[in-house]
Amino acid sequence: MKDAQELIRKLKDEDQEFAKLWEEHEHFENKLEEYTKMRYLTTEQELDKKRIQKLKLLGKDRMAEIIRKHKTTNAC
């Protein structure tokens, strides 16, 4: 767990794409938390929530890919 946190910290500092994805991920997480706190969502809010969930998942998948690539290239 500690190694994973260190790797993420390193990638946020050294990899611009990863840093951007991380920032977007946090933004999406905050927006989804806002929607979760709301008792009712309008149709527009519900659609936005679904859109954000998809974007968050795509970003998370890309970050995982960057981590795997980093581990692979640094394991050799």
Side-chain angles (χ1 to χ4, degrees), residues 24-75:
E24 287 176 352
H25 182 81
E26 288 181 333
H27 172 74
F28 293 150
E29 186 67 34
N30 291 335
K31 188 64 179 174
L32 289 172
E33 190 174 316
E34 286 177 29
Y35 281 142
T36 301
K37 290 178 182 178
M38 298 172 85
R39 190 169 190 171
Y40 299 104
L41 297 177
T42 65
T43 303
E44 186 176 300
Q45 290 169 327
E46 191 64 47
L47 289 172
D48 190 44
K49 180 181 175 185
K50 297 280 185 207
R51 181 187 66 83
I52 291 171
Q53 288 171 327
K54 289 176 185 177
L55 290 172
K56 183 179 167 204
L57 184 59
L58 287 171
K60 191 173 181 179
D61 288 347
R62 179 62 185 136
M63 285 190 292
E65 185 179 322
I66 292 169
I67 290 169
R68 277 192 305 276
K69 182 179 176 186
H70 180 80
K71 286 180 178 179
T72 301
T73 56
N74 290 324

Side-chain angles (χ1 to χ4, degrees), residues 15-26:
D15 187 302
Q16 284 183 323
E17 180 186 10
F18 189 88
K20 180 179 179 276
L21 289 165
W22 187 269
E23 188 176 308
E24 287 176 352
H25 182 81
E26 288 181 333

